[in-house]
């Protein structure tokens, strides 16, 4: 890894990823909405900022040119296929051999073998319905974005985050292929460590074509099942 692009750099997860990437000495290009550029002020003299909608192929084309890795925050905002448009632009425009790492939540399933609690399923259903009703968030479009990624032969990883909290890093999260596996039971990860997992995945070829579900390495379930 020499040069990486962070798509959705101005959000909380995005800014943590920018920081981890800079700490590793990578050259960083950050894409964010024009109005959010000031949120990247602390990095302004160390990264290249590409302002624009992340689902605009022209914006993405310019930003990802020459990047060895692309980290993409799949945000289900709005009702204009923002997530799937962003994923498609990255899949279409990134360099042929680039490592592509996308973020989403546990509700995304790759092979249908995840085991969700009734409470989790009810919450996702309720949030999907409510969010669509107020036309603020399109959870189904994040599902569509991931369907396209899973069908692609690019060198992708989809990192599925548990519930998130702020706080000091606890180190690299642990992961499992399926929600419902005991190691994931604590369902909590520090956001800074979600970002760490995303950035670390860029250089971990064992994660290519995987959709790891992650949990904080200091959580009770991780400690109990780490061996
Ligand atoms: N929040 C959770 O509990 C949770 C749990 C599991 C997984 N995840 C995953 O983690 C990732 C980051 O989520 P997050 O909740 O932590 O949020 P976040 O890091 O703050 O990122 C939100 C992103 O959405 C963009 N955004 C916000 N409002 C928008 C709008 N109206 N139109 C277009 N873009 C908009 C933000 O850009 P601006 O800076 O321009 O606003 C930012 O890039 C997502 O992939 C999510 O699925 C989150």
């Amino acid at each position: 890894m020499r040069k990486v692009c962070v798509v959705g750099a101005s959000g909380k997860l995005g800014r943590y990823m920018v920081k981890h990437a800079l700490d590793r000495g990578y050259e960083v290009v950050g894409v964010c909405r024009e109005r959010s550029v000031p949120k990247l002020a602390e990095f302004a003299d160390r990264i290249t900022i590409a302002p624009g909608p992340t689902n605009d192929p022209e914006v993405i084309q310019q930003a990802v040119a020459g990047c060895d890795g692309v980290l993409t925050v799949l945000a289900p905002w709005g009702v204009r296929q923002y997530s799937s448009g962003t994923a498609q632009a990255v899949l279409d425009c990134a360099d042929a051999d680039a490592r592509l790492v996308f973020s989403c939540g546990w509700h995304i399933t790759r092979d249908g073998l995840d085991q969700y609690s009734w409470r989790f399923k009810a919450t996702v259903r309720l949030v999907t319905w409510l969010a669509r009703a107020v036309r603020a968030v399109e959870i189904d479009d994040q599902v569509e974005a991931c369907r396209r990624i899973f069908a692609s032969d690019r060198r992708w990883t989809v990192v599925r985050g548990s519930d998130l909290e702020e706080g000091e890093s606890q180190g690299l999260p642990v992961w499992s292929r399926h929600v419902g596996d005991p190691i994931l039971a604590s369902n909590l990860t520090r956001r800074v460590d979600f970002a760490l997992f995303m950035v670390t995945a860029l250089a971990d070829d064992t994660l290519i074509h995987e959709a790891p579900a992650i949990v904080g390495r200091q959580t009770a379930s991780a400690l109990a099942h780490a061996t």
Side-chain angles (χ1 to χ4, degrees), residues 25-26 40 54 74 79 84 88 105 107 115 117 132 155 183 190 192 196 199:
Y26 299 157
L40 289 169
T54 62
L74 286 181
V79 287
S84 57
Q88 193 66 56
H107 60 288
Q115 307 260 333
S117 66
R132 200 186 300 127
R155 302 174 75 228
I183 198 168
R190 300 262 161 105
V192 66
L196 180 64
V199 175

Side-chain angles (χ1 to χ4, degrees), residues 33-113:
R33 295 186 291 170
E34 201 124 25
R35 58 192 265 189
S36 302
V37 170
K39 290 161 81 176
L40 289 169
E42 63 181 304
F43 306 114
D45 55 348
R46 287 182 288 158
I47 69 172
T48 304
I49 300 176
T54 62
N55 59 348
D56 180 339
E58 276 181 34
V59 171
I60 296 297
Q61 179 86 61
Q62 283 189 15
V64 300
C67 289
D68 309 301
V70 183
L71 298 154
T72 304
V73 180
L74 286 181
W77 288 104
V79 287
R80 292 163 184 256
Q81 294 86 49
Y82 200 69
S83 258
S84 57
T86 300
Q88 193 66 56
V90 171
L91 291 171
D92 290 344
C93 301
D95 287 4
D97 291 330
R99 274 290 277 125
L100 310 180
V101 183
F102 300 86
S103 73
C104 67
W106 276 8
H107 60 288
I108 297 293
T109 184
R110 183 183 175 199
D111 55 14
L113 297 178

Side-chain angles (χ1 to χ4, degrees), residues 183-200:
I183 198 168
L184 300 174
S186 294
N187 185 13
L188 200 60
T189 309
R190 300 262 161 105
R191 198 178 254 103
V192 66
D193 294 330
F194 188 177
L196 180 64
F197 194 95
M198 297 274 296
V199 175
T200 305

Side-chain angles (χ1 to χ4, degrees), residues 174 183 221-227:
V174 297
I183 198 168
S221 63
L223 291 172
H225 295 276
T227 52

